[in-house]
C-alpha cells in the first residue's frame, strides 16, 4: 500500500492519497492516478462517491462526505525548477532555485547560452528547440516552470505545451501588453479561461525589481509563495526508506490536531518494534502511548490523545493540545514486544 505511494512519489514528486476513517469501508485507501481514485487496499471500495471531493482537495486534511470521514494526504517531494530560456534573468533564478532545494533544469535553443560556466548551479542543461519541449523534459507533477525565452513566439510555444502537462507553477515573463496578446491567442486556440488563470504573467511578485537579480528574487519569491500555499505531508526520508525496504509494521499518522502539539497534521512514524522506528509524531507521552497501542493494531483504527498541561510544559509548550492518530498495519507479520 505505502510502497506504491512512495514509489510513485519518487517518479512524480507529487502524490495524492486518501483513506476512509470510519464507515463500512474504514481503512480503505486510494491513490489518485490520471484523475481517478485507484484503490490500494483491495477492499472492493467504490470510490466514486468520494472522488470529486478528493480530486478537488488541495492540501492535507479531513472532510466529510455524507456519513464518512475522509483523510486526504498531499505528498510533495523533490521539486523541479524548469527554466526555459538561458538569458540574464535565468542565471540568478537557477542559483536561487538550487539554494532553495530545487532540482534545476535550464533549456535554450542556443547551445552557447546553456553552458556550465553560465549555469554552475544547474543540475541539467538542455539545448533544443522549444517546439520539441516534450522530447527533452519529461512530465513531472511537482514541477515549477519559468518561461523567459528571448521572444514572444518561444514563450507562447512553451506555454501551449506546458498547459498539456501537470505542473505546480507556471510563470511567463513579459510586459502587460505582451501577456495580453499571448492570452488572447491562447484563448482563440481553445485553451479555457480557468487554465489561463493558472498562468502567472507578468511573472513574479510586484516588488519593483529592475536588475536581473532583482527580477529573479521576485520570481522565486512567488514560487515559494505558491509552493507553501497548501499544506502537504512532510516526507521523512527514514519513513520512506523503511517502507521501500519491505519492512512490516504499523504506520502512525496525525490526522487531526487542535491546540498546541509538537507535530502537525500528516506527520508520520513507522513502528516495527520498540527499538526499530522511523520518523516521529511528536515524541513525549503521546508518542509513547501511541507506540504501546501499536501491538494491538490488527488492520486500521484511530485513537485520540490529549497533551496535558504537565506534558506540554515538559516539552516547552505553553498549553496542551489534542491529536487524533491513524494506525495502519503494513504487512501481515504481527508486532511483538511492543
Amino acid at each position: 500500500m505505502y510502497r506504491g505511494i512512495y514509489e510513485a512519489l519518487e517518479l512524480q514528486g507529487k502524490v495524492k492519497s486518501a483513506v476512509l476513517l470510519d464507515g463500512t469501508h474504514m481503512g480503505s485507501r486510494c491513490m489518485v492516478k490520471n484523475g481517478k481514485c485507484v484503490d490500494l487496499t483491495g477492499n472492493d471500495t467504490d470510490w466514486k462517491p468520494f472522488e470529486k471531493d478528493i480530486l478537488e482537495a488541495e492540501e492535507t486534511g479531513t472532510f466529510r462526505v455524507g456519513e464518512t470521514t475522509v483523510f486526504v494526504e498531499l505528498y510533495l517531494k523533490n521539486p523541479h525548477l524548469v527554466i526555459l530560456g538561458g538569458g540574464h534573468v535565468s542565471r540568478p533564478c537557477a542559483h536561487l532555485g538550487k539554494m532553495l532545494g530545487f532540482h534545476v533544469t535550464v533549456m535554450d535553443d542556443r547551445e552557447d547560452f546553456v553552458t556550465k560556466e553560465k549555469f554552475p548551479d544547474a543540475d541539467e542543461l538542455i539545448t533544443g528547440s522549444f517546439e520539441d519541449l516534450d522530447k527533452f523534459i519529461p512530465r513531472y507533477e511537482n514541477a515549477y516552470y519559468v518561461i523567459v525565452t528571448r521572444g514572444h513566439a518561444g514563450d507562447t510555444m512553451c506555454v501551449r505545451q506546458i498547459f498539456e502537462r501537470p505542473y505546480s507553477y507556471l510563470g511567463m515573463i513579459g510586459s502587460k501588453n505582451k501577456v495580453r496578446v499571448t492570452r488572447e491567442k491562447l484563448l482563440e486556440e481553445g485553451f479555457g479561461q480557468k487554465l489561463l488563470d493558472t498562468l502567472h504573467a507578468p511573472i513574479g511578485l510586484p516588488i519593483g525589481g529592475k536588475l536581473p537579480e532583482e527580477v529573479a528574487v521576485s520570481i522565486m519569491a512567488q514560487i515559494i509563495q505558491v509552493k507553501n500555499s497548501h499544506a502537504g505531508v512532510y516526507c521523512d526520508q527514514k519513513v520512506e526508506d523503511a517502507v521501500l525496504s519491505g519492512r512490516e509494521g504499523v504506520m502512525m499518522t496525525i490526522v487531526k490536531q487542535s491546540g498546541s502539539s509538537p507535530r502537525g497534521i500528516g506527520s508520520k512514524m513507522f513502528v516495527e518494534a520498540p527499538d526499530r522506528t522511523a520518523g516521529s509524531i511528536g515524541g513525549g507521552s503521546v508518542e509513547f502511548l501511541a507506540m504501546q497501542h501499536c501491538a494491538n493494531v490488527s488492520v486500521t483504527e484511530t485513537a485520540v490523545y490529549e497533551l496535558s498541561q504537565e506534558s506540554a510544559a515538559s516539552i516547552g509548550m505553553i498549553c496542551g493540545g489534542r491529536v487524533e492518530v491513524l494506525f495502519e498495519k503494513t504487512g501481515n507479520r504481527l508486532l511483538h514486544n511492543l
Side-chain angles (χ1 to χ4, degrees):
M1 179 173 66
Y2 271 100
R3 187 182 186 88
I5 292 173
Y6 285 121
E7 286 177 344
L9 185 63
E10 285 299 314
L11 292 174
Q12 302 167 191
K14 180 191 292 186
V15 171
K16 186 185 290 184
S17 179
V19 59
L20 306 183
L21 298 183
D22 48 34
T24 306
H25 295 286
M26 178 182 177
S28 292
R29 181 178 278 277
C30 73
M31 180 168 63
V32 175
K33 289 184 178 181
N34 301 319
K36 294 184 179 295
C37 292
V38 178
D39 189 78
L40 296 177
T41 43
N43 293 340
D44 197 30
T45 303
D46 180 11
W47 288 96
K48 289 182 180 178
F50 313 102
E51 194 166 69
K52 180 177 182 294
D53 294 276
I54 291 172
L55 294 178
E56 291 179 351
E58 295 184 330
E59 58 186 35
T60 296
T62 58
F63 56 83
R64 297 280 291 179
V65 177
E67 299 299 316
T68 305
T69 305
V70 183
F71 176 58
V72 170
E73 296 178 280
L74 182 63
Y75 295 77
L76 298 169
K77 187 180 180 182
N78 302 329
H80 285 198
L81 175 66
V82 181
I83 304 171
L84 301 171
H88 296 302
V89 172
S90 303
R91 298 182 199 178
C93 273
H95 175 69
L96 289 172
K98 192 62 182 176
M99 186 173 65
L100 292 166
F102 288 80
H103 177 282
V104 178
T105 298
V106 183
M107 178 179 175
D108 200 287
D109 53 4
R110 300 162 291 181
E111 187 174 0
D112 57 333
F113 272 70
V114 281
T115 64
K116 200 62 180 176
E117 290 72 27
K118 292 183 178 180
F119 293 96
D121 300 302
D123 296 285
E124 188 176 10
L125 298 172
I126 298 173
T127 302
S129 170
F130 294 120
E131 190 174 1
D132 299 320
L133 184 68
D134 285 339
K135 294 181 182 179
F136 296 102
I137 300 177
R139 298 187 175 210
Y140 189 73
E141 294 275 351
N142 198 17
Y144 295 75
Y145 292 94
V146 173
I147 301 177
V148 283
T149 75
R150 67 178 183 275
H152 170 75
D155 292 346
T156 306
M157 194 179 298
C158 290
V159 172
R160 187 183 294 116
Q161 293 176 81
I162 295 168
F163 272 164
E164 302 289 348
R165 55 168 62 198
Y167 54 86
S168 293
Y169 172 91
L170 173 58
M172 182 185 74
I173 203 166
S175 65
K176 291 183 178 180
N177 183 60
K178 173 186 168 183
V179 169
R180 179 183 58 79
V181 171
T182 300
R183 288 181 183 274
E184 290 174 353
K185 180 175 178 60
L186 291 168
L187 274 172
E188 290 173 1
E189 292 178 9
F191 292 101
Q193 187 62 51
K194 186 176 180 180
L195 189 60
L196 284 168
D197 288 342
T198 67
L199 173 64
H200 296 268
I203 197 171
L205 297 181
I207 60 175
K210 303 297 182 184
L211 299 174
E213 293 80 6
E214 293 175 336
V215 175
V217 168
S218 74
I219 293 171
M220 294 311 300
Q222 188 175 62
I223 285 176
I224 293 169
Q225 185 182 64
V226 170
K227 178 174 174 286
N228 296 334
S229 62
H230 301 299
V233 174
Y234 166 69
C235 294
D236 191 309
Q237 188 62 50
K238 293 181 179 179
V239 173
E240 182 178 340
D241 290 344
V243 171
L244 293 178
S245 68
R247 290 161 59 183
E248 299 176 332
V250 173
M251 184 73 80
M252 303 191 300
T253 307
I254 296 179
V255 296
K256 292 182 182 179
Q257 171 197 27
S258 61
S260 296
S261 63
R263 290 293 178 99
I265 294 174
S267 297
K268 291 184 179 296
M269 182 175 182
F270 181 81
V271 181
E272 185 178 11
D275 59 345
R276 293 194 300 277
T277 66
S280 173
I281 57 170
S285 61
V286 169
E287 188 167 289
F288 175 74
L289 292 171
M291 284 181 63
Q292 285 189 317
H293 184 70
C294 285
N296 302 316
V297 174
S298 57
V299 184
T300 302
E301 57 190 79
T302 60
V304 176
Y305 299 94
E306 301 283 347
L307 186 63
S308 66
Q309 295 287 348
E310 292 77 13
S311 298
S314 69
I315 56 175
M317 307 296 289
I318 296 175
C319 59
R322 184 175 186 270
V323 295
E324 183 173 341
V325 178
L326 169 68
F327 298 84
E328 294 173 282
K329 188 72 183 297
T330 64
N332 298 318
R333 180 168 56 81
L334 293 176
L335 294 175
H336 300 291
N337 302 320
L338 281 174

